[in-house]
DNA sequence: ACCTGAACACCGTTCAAGT
DNA sequence: ACCTGAACACCGTTCAAGT
């Protein structure tokens, strides 16, 4: 890749992260191009779809997911507290930008989604937490990690769609936790 | 209202119901106007916003909600079966058209929503079912009907966004039920 | 009083012309 | 090889002119 191309690509990703944070995942791409100082065509050359751009943005976010997972696994307390904590952490991770919860959760089972890789990171994180709880004999039988992701994703989507802070749905996450625990 | 105005209004509602069923709640309004044989301005005169049109469409749907509620209340079986059955019924009622679950659930706590009346019908239905379970001492303390609506709405939204049939999320509804029951 | 449909605005996407 | 930006498509919304 030519040096100027790489520079443009990087600028687009940085600017997009900013714009999406301000206006949500469905912000006009035109504005991204404008602020990045490139033509619309350049944006489309690098990222043929909005999802391709999202995927690039989420690159750095993977580290945050893994960090949060380690923290959860190191938690020393009751199984319920660990689970509720993880559900809140998970909801927070997918609610970074407006539109995120719906986007990520609906990709969560679609092998053809352009952001499937990022979903797998999340699903595996969730799996590790469930494994730990299962080893302790704390889970009801038949609980699968992807299902948990969808359930919490649904709750986060509700809060996001209604423009309400995640804290308002904490009681719902507790219901989910109680439904998952033995 | 003049006779021709009423005729146009009725035609618009009928056609919109059809178009929304075919293409979801965000189908082009242009198509509704065209199929109804009216100008775009006429549609906007009668229904200044898309939500106002939705609200009109959902008028007949209220009967169906009440019918389903009666059926649930008359159910003779275990509390868990009753609850799971209601959650599935509820999910079905809000999933009539694509986009419905998100639309209805995000309006579910916003007093300014144009479809708030329809949400209240749902919330009250949910309340009656919870009351019956509560009278039987089956519910965990602190469960409120609107919360249940949001939770199930979240699950239905997930299925709807991913273009998957509701049956795929039945296990998730069981988790919710277990979380609600004592 | 109500209707029509052209016109405008907005935004996603493409592509011919330029470097 | 990459970029620009005008041009096109699509759809929501308004409004002047008509009945």
């Amino acid at each position: 890749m030519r040096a100027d191309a790489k520079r443009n690509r990087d600028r687009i990703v940085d600017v997009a992260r900013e714009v999406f944070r301000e206006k949500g995942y469905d912000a006009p791409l035109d504005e991204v191009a404008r602020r990045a100082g490139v033509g619309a065509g350049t944006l489309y050359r690098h990222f043929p779809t909005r999802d391709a751009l999202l995927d690039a943005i989420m690159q750095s976010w993977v580290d945050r997911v893994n960090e949060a997972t380690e923290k959860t696994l190191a938690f020393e307390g009751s199984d319920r507290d660990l689970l509720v904590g993880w559900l809140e952490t998970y909801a927070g991770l997918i609610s970074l930008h407006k539109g995120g919860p719906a986007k990520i959760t609906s990709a969560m089972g679609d092998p053809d989604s352009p952001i499937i890789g990022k979903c797998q990171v999340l699903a595996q994180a969730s799996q590790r937490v469930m494994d730990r709880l299962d080893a302790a004999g704390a889970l009801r039988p038949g609980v699968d990690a992807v299902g948990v992701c969808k359930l919490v994703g649904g709750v986060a989507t509700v809060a996001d769609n209604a423009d309400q802070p995640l804290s308002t749905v904490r009681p719902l996450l507790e219901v989910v936790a109680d439904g998952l625990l033995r």
Side-chain angles (χ1 to χ4, degrees), chain A:
Chain A
M1 180 163 359
R2 233 165 58 179
D4 58 342
K6 173 161 172 43
R7 191 161 19 86
N8 276 333
R9 192 187 183 285
D10 291 347
R11 268 196 66 75
I12 290 170
V13 173
D14 284 345
V15 168
R17 199 173 351 246
E18 205 177 292
V19 171
F20 286 160
R21 186 175 44 236
E22 287 172 24
K23 310 208 166 182
Y25 273 142
D26 52 357
L29 293 184
D30 186 38
E31 180 164 346
V32 174
R34 201 166 36 74
R35 282 209 221 172
V38 302
T42 302
L43 192 153
Y44 278 87
R45 157 180 297 273
H46 287 293
F47 306 101
T49 64
R50 179 184 295 269
D51 280 347
L53 181 52
L54 286 186
D55 193 64
I57 282 182
M58 289 169 79
Q59 212 65 49
S60 69
W61 163 94
V62 167
D63 297 333
R64 225 191 289 193
V65 171
N66 289 328
E67 214 174 295
T69 310
E70 296 306 332
K71 212 167 190 169
T72 298
L73 290 173
F75 177 79
E76 297 179 15
S78 76
D79 289 333
R80 189 176 187 278
D81 286 348
L82 181 145
L83 179 54
V84 172
W86 168 248
L87 299 187
E88 286 186 316
T89 299
Y90 181 95
L93 285 167
I94 65 173
S95 299
L96 286 180
H97 305 322
K98 180 146 185 60
K103 194 100 218 163
I104 293 170
T105 306
S106 64
M108 197 97 212
D110 172 14
D112 296 332
S113 167
I115 59 168
I116 182 66
K118 305 296 174 289
C119 291
Q120 282 168 350
V121 168
L122 269 178
Q124 276 163 24
S126 179
Q127 183 69 58
R128 289 179 66 196
V129 174
M130 293 309 131
D131 282 349
R132 159 155 177 195
L133 287 168
D134 204 24
L139 286 186
R140 288 188 204 240
V143 168
D144 79 308
V146 172
V148 175
C149 292
K150 287 187 186 178
L151 210 33
V152 181
V155 172
T157 301
V158 166
D160 186 48
N161 281 343
D163 275 317
Q164 288 190 342
L166 267 182
S167 57
T168 61
V169 293
R170 193 186 198 279
L172 302 185
L173 293 180
E174 294 198 26
V175 171
V176 171
D178 287 333
L180 293 170
L181 293 172
R182 190 184 287 274

